[in-house]
Amino acid sequence: MNRILFGFILLIVALPSFAKSKKVESIVEKDFVDTIRISYRNSAILVPVKIGDRYYKFMFDTGATSFIINDSLRHIMQETGKKRECMDFNKVSQDLDRGVLPEVIMGKTHLTNVDVIAMSYNFPMGVDGVIGMRELNNSDIITKIDLKDSIIIITDRKDFFANENGQVMEYYPKLVCPKVKFSFSHGCKGGLMSFDTGCNSFMFLNDFYYKKSLKGKNKDLFMKQIEWVDTGSVSYSVHGIEKGNEHVFMKFDEVKLGDLMCINNIPTEVSSGGTVIGCRILEYGR
């Protein structure tokens, strides 16, 4: 079963699909468990990654489909002459250069022939690149994020986390990033929400749900959850800068993710982009 497990306050386990798929990179080790020290700054999970003879600072991103490096570091990748079409938040696409990292080392784990994209982007906090969880999934790597102890644990043992305590919820691995079912207080019927640690907020709600809820039978209660409204542009990490428009900031009484209920002033921003649960959910209950 493809599932995400939310555990004690600051703990999440993300389990990939073990269906057969083309593996972009290979793991040198087999039947391994590795614990990697991380740092957590401004709601971003930062992982030291060794490429060649140097360590780089990468952000762990469950919403990224591949590894990404800053264009200024393209000298560390082998050029392939291939392109990948990528789309930003405003649905503007661009062809980015694809390459291969011959070897990537995270902790004691060695990955070889890692597919990577070079992107001209001013990454925050001196970040050099992004670890795309989907690429790890393609190599059947299971990842546990534990902010309480500032570690991630990665393994290829299918049942290693089978006895973890927490709330299990199914997700849909064939989509771009993990998506879980959601609903919210006094609003319309929910749908699917992306779980994206590359988003440094708690929750973004697509304005489709917002506008529909304003017409619902509980619209008065729904509107009481609105904190304030403003107009402006928002940067969405590597996804680009949103065009200026109205932004609504809310605090929901309740947000339900699968069978997990989050309560009491859940910070949410309404936007024209996707519906996303971000990295700050890992801080929930702190």
Side-chain angles (χ1 to χ4, degrees):
M1 177 175 64
N2 310 303
R3 61 200 191 273
I4 293 175
L5 172 65
F6 283 92
F8 311 107
I9 305 178
L10 308 178
L11 174 69
I12 184 170
V13 179
L15 296 160
S17 167
F18 287 89
K20 292 182 179 180
S21 60
K22 183 178 180 181
K23 298 180 181 181
V24 178
E25 67 272 317
S26 61
I27 313 171
V28 175
E29 300 85 354
K30 300 296 180 183
D31 192 30
F32 74 96
V33 179
D34 194 8
T35 300
I36 303 171
R37 181 65 57 182
I38 63 172
S39 58
Y40 186 67
R41 294 174 52 200
N42 296 334
S43 301
I45 300 169
L46 306 178
V47 183
V49 171
K50 188 177 182 181
I51 302 172
D53 58 358
R54 179 183 163 187
Y55 280 94
Y56 298 89
K57 186 192 300 180
F58 275 53
M59 180 174 67
F60 185 81
D61 190 349
T62 59
T65 58
S66 65
F67 277 62
I68 302 171
I69 58 171
N70 194 300
D71 191 68
S72 64
L73 296 176
R74 65 167 51 241
H75 62 277
I76 67 175
M77 77 177 190
Q78 294 179 353
E79 302 276 357
T80 63
K82 297 180 179 180
K83 301 279 188 178
R84 175 176 290 184
E85 184 181 12
C86 296
M87 186 175 296
D88 67 12
F89 190 84
N90 297 304
K91 298 183 179 180
V92 176
S93 62
Q94 56 179 321
D95 290 330
L96 300 177
D97 291 329
R98 291 179 59 184
V100 173
L101 298 173
E103 183 179 45
V104 173
I105 302 175
M106 299 186 301
K108 298 178 182 178
T109 302
H110 294 239
L111 305 177
T112 59
N113 300 320
V114 179
D115 188 35
V116 66
I117 295 173
M119 175 178 286
S120 180
Y121 178 75
N122 184 23
F123 290 92
M125 298 176 293
V127 170
D128 299 303
V130 170
I131 299 170
M133 194 184 80
R134 187 173 181 181
E135 295 295 348
L136 299 184
N137 286 2
N138 288 341
S139 289
D140 292 347
I141 292 178
I142 307 170
T143 306
K144 170 181 175 179
I145 306 168
D146 187 343
L147 298 188
K148 185 176 181 181
D149 293 327
S150 298
I151 59 173
I152 61 172
I153 299 174
I154 58 176
T155 179
D156 63 349
R157 297 180 187 176
K158 184 174 180 179
D159 299 318
F160 188 77
F161 298 114
N163 296 320
E164 291 277 347
N165 294 320
Q167 176 65 55
V168 176
M169 63 187 71
E170 293 188 38
Y171 76 86
Y172 303 83
K174 292 183 179 180
L175 302 174
V176 174
C177 66
K179 291 182 181 284
V180 298
K181 293 181 179 179
F182 81 98
S183 61
F184 50 96
S185 51
H186 313 306
C188 65
K189 184 179 179 180
L192 292 179
M193 169 181 286
S194 301
F195 171 58
D196 187 356
T197 57
C199 172
N200 65 352
S201 298
F202 193 103
M203 177 176 166
F204 283 100
L205 182 72
N206 184 275
D207 57 7
F208 165 81
Y209 296 104
Y210 173 74
K211 293 174 181 177
K212 191 173 181 179
S213 298
L214 290 178
K215 300 177 182 178
K217 62 181 181 180
N218 295 320
K219 62 181 180 181
D220 291 337
L221 290 173
F222 179 78
M223 292 179 65
K224 287 183 179 180
Q225 300 173 119
I226 298 174
E227 289 288 296
W228 55 284
V229 180
D230 202 351
T231 301
S233 299
V234 175
S235 174
Y236 289 87
S237 184
V238 297
H239 300 294
I241 299 177
E242 181 192 33
K243 294 179 180 178
N245 59 14
E246 182 181 73
H247 286 264
V248 181
F249 298 86
M250 307 185 68
K251 287 188 177 179
F252 283 125
D253 297 331
E254 296 177 352
V255 172
K256 191 175 183 181
L257 305 173
D259 293 326
L260 176 68
M261 183 68 76
C262 302
I263 60 174
N264 296 330
N265 298 322
I266 305 303
T268 304
E269 181 179 343
V270 177
S271 100
S272 58
T275 299
V276 176
I277 193 76
C279 203
R280 284 187 58 197
I281 191 176
L282 302 182
E283 305 172 18
Y284 182 72
R286 176 180 278 178

